[in-house]
């Protein structure tokens, strides 16, 4: 990225991405993709750690039929981190291309490619590295666990009456209030590459994204949660702009933070990125942030599309925080 490009993003340090900080971003889906597209503008030393609980759509079908790790969110992360250039952009577009007819209707090319690579190589980490090489990926994409996990949620549908909901799609679309999530198996194997990246990171970024099905699952994997807690990295949480119907219906910013505290008690956070327009009760936000030992950075990171983060604004926010510059 040129200096003029950096300036157009409002990046205060005009940092050279090739000498940028070592950053690990955890999440899944569109939220993680936005984070990755922002972070890759300030560093090439970027690792995406992607949740593996998806059981719907193409990923769900392939997972059930072929007993393979769900690959949809991994595919999206690869596409977000693909190198610039006509050739790699074509491959990224092909990866995201979804068939709209016939027996393959609903399946993206990238899902099929990743499943084939995993089958051929016998290891999802090696398969992702090969796919990343094809795309010229800036950094590395890794799965949260070596096998898929099932998300299990406690949901309160009427006062004082809790039921159990299983599966990412069911949790994401549930009626009632999600109280807590867990995963099965409870202690899945985390790739050592993930632990190494977290332990050697300068910064760890959580969110935005579907809170109970993309963000918090990383914090209920014991080995990964402990590694995040013990890392010397700066820990940054990026808040969602709006509640997600079903999963976080009626949530305000402080509710997300209370859920984080509940799922990872004792975990400290350094900075919380919040768009000012998403804050209804500033005192409640400050109180929740204080539980995490965090500083709240109120920054305009929303795009003109409701509920969607602006990638350039996110890049500027991360750059300011990672260079320890004061933000309002």
């Amino acid at each position: 990225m040129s200096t003029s490009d950096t300036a157009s993003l409002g990046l205060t340090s005009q940092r050279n991405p090739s000498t940028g900080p070592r950053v690990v971003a955890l999440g899944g889906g569109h939220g993680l993709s936005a984070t990755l597209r922002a972070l890759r503008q300030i560093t090439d030393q970027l690792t995406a750690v992607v949740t593996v609980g998806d059981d719907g759509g193409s990923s769900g079908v392939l997972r059930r039929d072929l007993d393979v790790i769900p690959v949809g969110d991994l595919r999206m992360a690869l596409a977000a981190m693909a190198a610039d250039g006509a050739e790699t952009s074509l491959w990224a577009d092909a990866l995201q291309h979804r068939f709209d007819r016939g027996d393959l209707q609903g399946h993206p090319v990238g899902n099929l490619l990743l499943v084939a690579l995993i089958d051929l190589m016998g290891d999802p980490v090696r398969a992702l590295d090969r796919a990343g090489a094809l795309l010229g990926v800036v950094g590395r994409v890794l799965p949260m666990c070596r096998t898929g996990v099932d998300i299990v949620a406690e949901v309160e549908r009427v006062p004082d009456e809790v039921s159990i909901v299983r599966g990412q799609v069911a949790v994401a679309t549930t009626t009632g209030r999600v109280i807590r999530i867990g995963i099965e198996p409870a202690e899945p194997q985390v790739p050592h590459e993930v632990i190494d990246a977290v332990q050697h990171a300068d910064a760890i970024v959580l969110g935005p994204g579907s809170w109970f099905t993309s963000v918090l699952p990383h914090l209920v994997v014991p080995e990964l949660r402990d590694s995040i807690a013990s890392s010397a990295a700066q820990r940054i949480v990026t808040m969602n702009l709006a509640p997600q119907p079903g999963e976080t219906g009626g949530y305000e910013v402080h509710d997300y933070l209370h859920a984080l505290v509940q799922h990872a008690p004792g975990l400290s956070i350094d900075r919380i990125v919040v768009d000012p327009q998403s804050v209804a009760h500033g005192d409640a936000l400050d109180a929740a942030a204080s539980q995490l030992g965090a500083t709240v950075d109120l920054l305009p990171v929303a795009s003109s599309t409701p509920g969607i983060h602006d990638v350039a604004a996110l890049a500027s926010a991360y750059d300011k925080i990672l260079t320890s510059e004061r933000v309002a």
Side-chain angles (χ1 to χ4, degrees):
M1 185 173 59
S2 69
T3 301
S4 60
D5 289 334
T6 304
S8 71
L9 290 170
L11 302 185
T12 54
S13 68
Q14 295 190 355
R15 188 198 305 278
N16 180 351
S18 65
T19 59
R22 293 165 297 186
V23 182
V24 175
L26 303 100
H30 295 287
L32 179 61
S33 291
T35 296
L36 296 173
R37 285 185 283 125
L39 287 169
R40 59 167 292 188
Q41 295 176 28
I42 59 176
T43 184
D44 286 349
Q45 299 189 82
L46 178 60
T47 301
V49 178
V50 185
T51 187
V52 287
D54 194 1
D55 62 354
S58 170
S59 291
V61 170
L62 295 171
R63 180 179 179 179
R64 290 189 298 273
D65 289 354
L66 302 176
D67 190 27
V68 69
I69 192 171
V71 293
D73 286 355
L74 294 163
R75 180 200 83 244
M76 291 177 64
L78 286 168
M81 294 169 66
D84 297 324
E87 186 70 17
T88 51
S89 292
L90 176 61
W91 278 113
D93 289 343
L95 203 73
Q96 295 284 64
H97 178 73
R98 192 180 297 268
F99 296 104
D100 61 3
R101 59 193 181 278
D103 291 341
L104 293 178
Q105 183 172 355
H107 286 289
V109 171
N111 285 8
L112 303 177
L113 173 63
L114 286 174
V115 169
L117 285 172
I118 293 169
D119 197 35
L120 288 169
M121 307 189 76
D123 178 64
V125 172
R126 291 176 60 204
L128 286 162
D129 284 344
R130 283 298 183 93
L134 179 68
L135 295 163
V137 158
V138 179
R140 197 176 194 187
V141 176
L142 296 171
M144 179 181 80
C145 310
R146 287 196 172 275
T147 57
V149 299
D150 292 316
I151 295 173
V152 182
E154 298 174 13
V155 179
E156 185 179 58
R157 293 199 169 97
V158 296
D160 301 320
E161 191 172 308
V162 176
S163 58
I164 302 299
V165 175
R166 297 178 182 274
Q168 178 172 312
V169 172
V171 174
T173 58
T174 188
T175 57
R177 186 178 182 87
V178 179
I179 299 172
R180 180 187 294 273
I181 63 136
I183 55 170
E184 294 178 350
E187 297 188 15
Q189 182 185 7
V190 179
H192 70 83
E193 294 89 350
V194 170
I195 302 301
D196 288 346
V198 168
Q199 287 296 306
H200 293 94
D202 297 307
I204 297 168
V205 180
L206 280 163
S210 300
W211 210 244
F212 287 99
T213 54
S214 291
V215 178
L216 293 183
H218 295 83
L219 299 180
V220 296
V221 177
E223 186 180 5
L224 181 53
R225 179 184 62 236
D226 293 346
S227 182
I228 293 169
S230 64
S231 174
Q234 183 173 207
R235 287 177 282 272
I236 302 166
V237 173
T238 309
M239 302 309 304
N240 291 345
L241 300 170
Q244 181 177 338
E247 186 171 328
T248 53
Y251 263 49
E252 295 185 31
V253 176
H254 59 273
D255 293 313
Y256 292 94
L257 296 179
H258 288 315
L260 194 155
V261 170
Q262 182 184 28
H263 286 80
L267 177 68
S268 64
I269 299 296
D270 297 288
R271 310 290 281 267
I272 300 172
V273 178
V274 185
D275 187 274
Q277 298 302 313
S278 67
V279 180
H281 298 93
D283 290 345
L285 170 58
D286 290 339
S290 68
Q291 287 186 278
L292 293 159
T295 297
V296 175
D297 294 306
L298 292 174
L299 295 166
V301 291
S303 72
S304 57
T305 303
I308 303 297
H309 286 81
D310 181 271
V311 170
L314 265 184
S316 179
Y318 292 142
D319 186 64
K320 289 176 180 178
I321 290 172
L322 292 174
T323 52
S324 299
E325 293 195 11
R326 192 174 187 276
V327 291

